[in-house]
Amino acid sequence: MSKVKKILLGVFVVLVATQFIHPAKNIAEGIQTNNVAAIFATPEDVKAILKTSCNDCHSNNTIYPWYNNIQPVAWWLDHHIDEAKHGLNFDEFASYSPRRQYHKLEETEEMLNENEMPLSSYTFIHRDAILSTEQKETLINWTKNIRRQMEATYSMDSLVRQKK
Ligand code: HEC
């Protein structure tokens, strides 16, 4: 067997073997009591947008595509979901400190204005997750309304770390 064939065979064997190893799935049972909607007014249209465009990465429940059954795709997706959830998890939002909540809402507005979210590697396949201008406005207004409500409840000092 030539060297190239041996290497190809080796790669093939490893690929086959890895098909049997899967990362734990991001699927939580039951109602997520710390969901953002539990503490902040979240209209149905906002919930629908979050569900279609954000929650596969920023919640405790991912609806997996068929290709998640193929390695190394499953690892790649798992890594993305981990990273996304670590930064912002709408299912854990109620457990954040007010300052963190306020900051994540600001970040959300920024990400939407800069068209950074949802990730383009996601919308490439999930075409329905692409946000229309109206949907983007709906989400941004939602974050602004919550922030205004928070500003009425907390002092600015407790919401924003002061730059000295
Ligand atoms: C395919 C997965 C995916 C989808 C879908 C997605 N995101 Fe993200 N998001 C990520 C990843 C990964 C990061 C962290 C890395 C980065 O900042 O690029 C992130 C980061 C963020 C952050 C910054 C969090 C921080 O660390 O402060 C915000 C805010 C955010 N996303 C909002 C959204 C919103 C709103 C939507 C829906 C409109 C969305 N994302 C859809 C994967 C995703």
Side-chain angles (χ1 to χ4, degrees):
M1 213 188 301
S2 75
K3 203 171 177 182
V4 172
K5 273 189 184 159
K6 270 186 195 160
I7 291 170
L8 284 178
L9 183 67
V11 168
F12 181 72
V13 167
V14 169
L15 270 179
V16 170
T18 55
Q19 300 313 310
F20 299 99
I21 315 166
H22 281 271
K25 283 195 173 165
N26 181 43
I27 297 177
E29 301 287 333
I31 293 168
Q32 300 299 301
T33 50
N34 279 332
N35 183 272
V36 61
I39 49 166
F40 292 118
T42 306
E44 288 307 317
D45 55 347
V46 171
K47 280 186 196 163
I49 300 170
L50 292 177
K51 189 173 174 198
T52 330
S53 301
C54 316
N55 284 357
D56 272 351
C57 301
H58 293 286
S59 83
N60 288 334
N61 275 293
T62 301
I63 297 165
Y64 285 92
W66 63 267
Y67 48 82
N68 187 59
N69 293 312
I70 305 167
Q71 294 291 18
V73 177
W75 279 315
W76 184 75
L77 290 184
D78 189 54
H79 174 72
H80 258 78
I81 294 165
D82 262 7
E83 204 187 352
K85 269 176 71 178
H86 186 73
L88 170 65
N89 186 342
F90 286 118
D91 276 338
E92 303 294 344
F93 206 82
S95 71
Y96 294 172
S97 68
R99 179 178 285 168
R100 186 167 162 86
Q101 288 171 348
Y102 191 84
H103 178 63
K104 294 303 169 182
L105 292 165
E106 278 179 327
E107 291 272 306
T108 298
E109 183 179 348
E110 198 180 308
M111 290 283 178
L112 292 167
N113 277 329
E114 289 168 5
N115 294 320
E116 285 195 41
M117 290 288 151
L119 289 183
S120 51
S121 60
Y122 181 79
T123 51
F124 180 70
I125 294 157
H126 295 84
R127 307 306 290 173
D128 59 334
I130 297 172
L131 299 176
S132 65
T133 311
E134 291 77 27
Q135 286 178 313
K136 227 184 290 174
E137 262 169 32
T138 303
L139 273 191
I140 290 175
N141 282 336
W142 171 67
T143 65
K144 282 188 170 156
N145 284 339
I146 299 177
R147 286 207 288 131
R148 233 168 273 144
Q149 187 193 330
M150 293 186 80
E151 284 159 12
T153 314
Y154 301 96
S155 69
M156 261 345 251
D157 264 2
S158 62
L159 294 178
V160 182
R161 197 157 280 137
Q162 299 300 319
K163 290 183 192 86
K164 291 211 173 103

